[in-house]
Amino acid sequence: MNRSELVRAVAERAGSEEADARRHVDAVVETVMERVSAGERVIVTGFGTFERMSRQARSARNPRTGMPVEVPAAEVPRFRSGQTFRKRVAQGLPATAVAAAAAPEAAVSVVLESAPAKKPKSAKVAKVAKDGGKSAKKVKKDAEPKKASKKAKAHKVESPSKKRPGKAKARAKAGK
């Protein structure tokens, strides 16, 4: 939703003209920006808190070049969502449904079941468990190789490809 869609939605909900809704939305946004830039905290109960935050100077890396870059200290805006807002987003319900869900007569009881027992990853692992590890060597040989860790993948050097990209061209030139 962009700003003009927000204005239209506010006008619809308030039952007013779009021009009036635009003035009101603009006034709210401007007031929040003015107060936060002045260092005040703006709290809209249920929606969230807008505030100014100081960020210290730090060193970072340019993602393109990998070279270190010094980032200066800055004052930045910060928004923390309110509890009502978080609950509504988590439930994915419109405002009327959230209010109805909070009412005592609309309470729903939830029964929690215990998690099912974990199954072994493969039949080979189960075989080891059944015979007490006597055939562990056989299972180990047949088992799939372990996946490389993220660290190992990052340091892995790729071997050159077995295919030669220019081989087909050379054959064509030679007339083969």
Side-chain angles (χ1 to χ4, degrees), residues 94-113:
T96 54
V98 171
E105 60 270 2
V108 178
S109 61
V110 178
V111 178
L112 299 175
E113 296 178 5

Side-chain angles (χ1 to χ4, degrees), residues 52-131:
R52 184 177 176 171
M53 188 179 96
S54 297
R55 190 181 296 162
Q56 294 180 352
R58 61 189 169 91
S59 61
R61 294 208 175 270
N62 182 335
R64 284 192 183 176
T65 63
M67 299 296 295
V69 176
E70 291 301 316
V71 179
E75 295 291 323
V76 294
R78 180 168 114 178
F79 173 75
R80 288 184 295 171
S81 59
Q83 187 175 10
T84 306
F85 189 16
R86 283 193 300 271
K87 283 181 180 179
R88 191 170 305 167
V89 169
Q91 292 175 351
L93 301 172
T96 54
V98 171
E105 60 270 2
V108 178
S109 61
V110 178
V111 178
L112 299 175
E113 296 178 5
S114 61
K118 289 186 178 180
K119 294 181 182 178
K121 291 183 180 179
S122 68
K124 294 173 187 170
V125 175
K127 183 178 177 183
V128 171
K130 286 180 184 175
D131 66 4

Side-chain angles (χ1 to χ4, degrees), residues 133-144:
K134 293 178 184 175
S135 61
K137 288 182 181 176
K138 182 179 179 189
V139 173
K140 199 170 190 179
K141 287 179 186 175
D142 294 341
E144 295 178 22

Side-chain angles (χ1 to χ4, degrees), residues 32-50:
V32 168
M33 286 193 294
E34 284 173 8
R35 301 298 178 161
V36 171
S37 63
E40 288 183 45
R41 180 184 297 178
V42 179
I43 301 170
V44 182
T45 307
F47 181 69
T49 304
F50 298 89

